[in-house]
Amino acid sequence: MDITRRPRRLRRDGIRELVSETNLESSDLVVPIFVDATTESRTPIESMPGHERVPVEESVARVEEALEAGVEAVMVFGIPESKDSRGSRAWAEDGVVQRAVRRITAETDAYVITDVCLCEYTEHGHCGILEEDAEADGRLTVRNDETLDLLSKTAVSHAEAGADMVAPSSMTDGMIGAIRAGLDDAGFANLPVMSYAVKYESAFYGPFRDAADGAPAFGDRRHYQMDPANRREAMREARLDVEEGADALLVKPALPYLDIVSDVRREFDHPVAAYNVSGEYAMLHAAAEKGWLDIEETAMESLLSIKRAGADLIVTYFAERVADSLS
Ligand code: PBG
């Protein structure tokens, strides 16, 4: 046998690193944090080991932990003290996110991204105002256009509190245009918007919905989040958001949708983000607890794969855990 082509030559130590195509760095990572107005002490989130809901008073300490671990960007989620039908605590000046962001930006150098959505703030847990839809047999559906103004107000209130970037996640048609206009009118023309442009109706959000208390009280989000079966539609969604002024495009979830991350990367020249969601985190932990998988190695391999698929930045609950072993 005379083999002349031997790819193995480049897999030895020393050369392996020199020819590696993808590098994961701690500066690619964003860690989500949960600030909870209903608790006075840090409360572990059972299905997301290592993560907690923290009171506003602990939000700076929480962000300092991330910074110490080498993660410089955080995504802030809020659990409000009360909910109503319109989600009015989402845009309150003294709302939980606004209070936390004010402190975090005053006291740390972290880059602060806020999630802009209403589902944690509405008593029904949907991402906007509900109405009976005559075209859908009187079923309750989210009123798209009436929700836009509330999202825009929420984004502006986050900007006023000092957020560095807003990330709308409600999959409301027209949300990027409405938020961009609201920010520009309020004097925040330089504040970037990262759109959850391509967000699927996914069962992988399960643990997050416990963490943020944002499960829909009835029904599901199929009429506004994307059908997991659709790939071409993702390009249409992303294109609309680009036209409306999105600065970065996020795909969510990440691992089951790497084809979409790769498509968005190829089709657009905007920064691409991927959200390695709660279910992706929880399942590795569950397997590791049983001794079936190594958590460090599988986390690292997952994040590397998301980068290889084309993501520039990754929102992940593993951020602090892996940052240590990265440059
Ligand atoms: C909505 C929102 C969700 C997540 C982030 N933003 C939940 C949803 O759409 O139900 C999920 C994140 C995760 O699972 O880690 N505000």
Side-chain angles (χ1 to χ4, degrees):
M1 177 110 67
D2 184 18
I3 302 176
T4 55
R5 296 184 183 118
R6 296 182 183 273
R8 285 186 177 194
R9 289 177 196 129
L10 300 182
R11 290 183 194 145
R12 294 190 174 174
D13 285 348
I15 184 66
R16 189 184 170 89
E17 292 73 22
L18 284 169
V19 299
S20 87
E21 298 175 33
T22 311
N23 261 318
L24 188 64
E25 291 165 38
S26 55
S27 61
D28 301 326
L29 306 178
V30 180
V31 67
I33 65 166
F34 298 95
V35 187
D36 185 349
T38 69
T39 178
E40 254 137 57
S41 56
R42 289 177 162 230
T43 317
I45 301 165
E46 209 185 327
S47 52
M48 297 168 66
H51 285 271
E52 301 168 321
R53 299 174 175 207
V54 304
V56 173
E57 293 66 38
E58 290 284 322
S59 53
V60 170
R62 175 69 193 88
V63 171
E64 277 167 353
E65 288 165 11
L67 291 170
E68 266 157 45
V71 179
E72 290 177 8
V74 297
M75 171 99 91
V76 182
F77 290 93
I79 296 107
E81 52 289 284
S82 63
K83 306 187 187 220
D84 58 27
S85 64
R86 292 160 57 80
S88 62
R89 296 304 295 167
W91 59 87
E93 198 190 333
D94 62 348
V96 60
V97 166
Q98 292 79 355
R99 282 190 288 142
V101 168
R102 236 174 257 124
R103 287 182 185 223
I104 296 165
T105 51
E107 295 180 41
T108 77
D109 290 328
Y111 190 80
V112 178
I113 307 171
T114 56
D115 180 77
V116 175
C117 195
L118 300 179
C119 58
E120 289 114 56
Y121 302 87
T122 52
E123 55 209 2
H124 44 70
H126 281 282
C127 306
I129 304 175
L130 286 183
E131 76 167 349
E132 283 178 17
D133 187 345
E135 289 166 35
D137 294 335
R139 271 199 300 274
L140 286 165
T141 56
V142 169
R143 277 172 109 135
N144 191 86
D145 299 12
E146 288 79 352
T147 299
L148 290 174
D149 185 42
L150 308 185
L151 293 171
S152 175
K153 281 205 285 205
T154 302
V156 169
S157 74
H158 291 177
E160 283 169 345
D164 295 304
M165 180 189 247
V166 292
S169 65
S170 63
M171 291 300 278
T172 313
D173 291 339
M175 69 179 182
I176 300 304
I179 287 172
R180 185 70 268 160
L183 290 171
D184 291 354
D185 281 352
F188 295 103
N190 287 315
L191 196 103
V193 178
M194 176 161 73
S195 177
Y196 285 66
V198 186
K199 179 173 177 182
Y200 286 91
E201 204 267 327
S202 171
F204 287 97
Y205 304 148
F208 173 94
R209 292 181 180 173
D210 296 338
D213 200 15
F218 53 85
D220 51 45
R221 304 204 212 272
R222 293 166 88 96
H223 66 284
Y224 47 101
Q225 297 181 348
M226 274 185 57
D227 181 347
N230 294 356
R231 182 169 181 175
R232 293 188 304 269
E233 187 192 355
M235 295 307 102
R236 246 192 303 152
E237 268 289 357
R239 195 163 301 116
L240 288 172
D241 287 2
V242 164
E243 286 164 10
E244 289 174 34
D247 298 286
L249 301 168
L250 184 144
V251 175
K252 178 179 174 186
L255 290 178
Y257 297 87
L258 292 184
D259 54 335
I260 312 298
V261 173
S262 163
D263 287 355
V264 175
R265 166 73 299 143
R266 220 169 296 171
E267 190 82 9
F268 301 94
D269 49 17
H270 290 61
V272 176
Y275 199 136
N276 177 228
V277 302
S278 56
E280 300 173 51
Y281 180 79
M283 63 186 180
L284 294 192
H285 271 282
E289 246 167 58
K290 286 187 171 277
W292 293 346
L293 286 179
D294 180 284
I295 191 79
E296 301 288 340
E297 288 181 7
T298 51
M300 200 64 103
E301 186 177 331
S302 301
L303 300 179
L304 189 68
S305 304
I306 296 167
K307 255 214 110 175
R308 191 193 61 234
D312 299 297
L313 59 135
I314 306 172
V315 183
T316 177
Y317 304 98
F318 287 117
E320 292 162 284
R321 181 160 198 139
V322 302
D324 244 10
S325 38
L326 301 173
S327 52

